[in-house]
Amino acid sequence: MRLNTEQMETILVQDKDDAVLDVLSLALQEEGFEVISVNTCDEKKILELIDQQRPHVVMLDIRMSDQDCIDVCKLIKLKYPHLPVIALSCNNNVHEQYNTNGFDGYIKKPFDLDLLYKIIRKHISG
């Protein structure tokens, strides 16, 4: 586990699948991130968590046929335009559609941990 004497970067992770959420949270914690996990895409709850916890990155599970998390991304961007929001998706065309829905990047499921860490660090330091 990475030791960090500075304040840890915080990541808000949302996924409707509890098993995926658990694995993702553990992987990010092992990399030294503080993780806030939530299994709903309820806009009020997510905006409240952002207000309270001030994460460095938000990761939302999206399905292009399900507008919930796409709408939440748009609300986050209205209130926090500089907060990076990353799409988590198993959709084959997420690489073509993530930015048209307001996301700053995407991670395709199943995810490669090295790529996951690289994308998160890019958005935290960028």
Side-chain angles (χ1 to χ4, degrees):
M1 187 157 143
R2 184 177 74 128
L3 294 177
N4 189 351
T5 56
E6 301 172 16
Q7 183 180 5
M8 291 194 314
E9 291 101 354
T10 302
I11 301 172
L12 175 68
V13 180
Q14 178 277 328
D15 199 294
K16 293 175 184 171
D17 184 328
D18 286 333
V20 171
L21 191 59
D22 288 345
V23 168
L24 194 51
S25 295
L26 284 171
L28 291 168
Q29 289 167 347
E30 283 294 315
E31 189 64 13
F33 296 107
E34 182 176 335
V35 179
I36 304 155
S37 60
V38 61
N39 65 358
T40 179
C41 206
D42 177 80
E43 64 186 58
K44 184 177 180 193
K45 182 170 187 164
I46 290 179
L47 289 173
E48 195 172 279
L49 284 169
I50 292 170
D51 287 340
Q52 295 169 354
Q53 303 294 323
R54 300 291 186 197
H56 295 84
V57 173
V58 174
M59 299 171 68
L60 300 176
D61 174 33
I62 65 163
R63 294 174 182 93
M64 293 304 172
S65 61
D66 181 5
Q67 274 298 119
D68 288 354
C69 287
I70 292 170
D71 292 343
V72 168
C73 176
K74 291 175 183 177
L75 289 171
I76 292 169
K77 287 305 193 174
L78 282 174
K79 191 166 184 180
Y80 304 100
H82 301 294
L83 178 60
V85 181
I86 309 294
L88 291 170
S89 183
C90 55
N91 292 324
N92 290 332
N93 60 348
V94 66
H95 64 286
E96 298 168 354
Q97 294 187 339
Y98 75 95
N99 60 349
T100 61
N101 289 298
F103 292 90
D104 297 290
Y106 70 93
I107 297 169
K108 194 164 176 18
K109 294 189 226 176
F111 43 85
D112 171 281
L113 289 179
D114 290 331
L115 181 60
L116 170 74
Y117 302 145
K118 181 179 177 181
I119 290 170
I120 297 240
R121 295 237 177 263
K122 172 186 153 196
H123 287 286
I124 287 176
S125 63

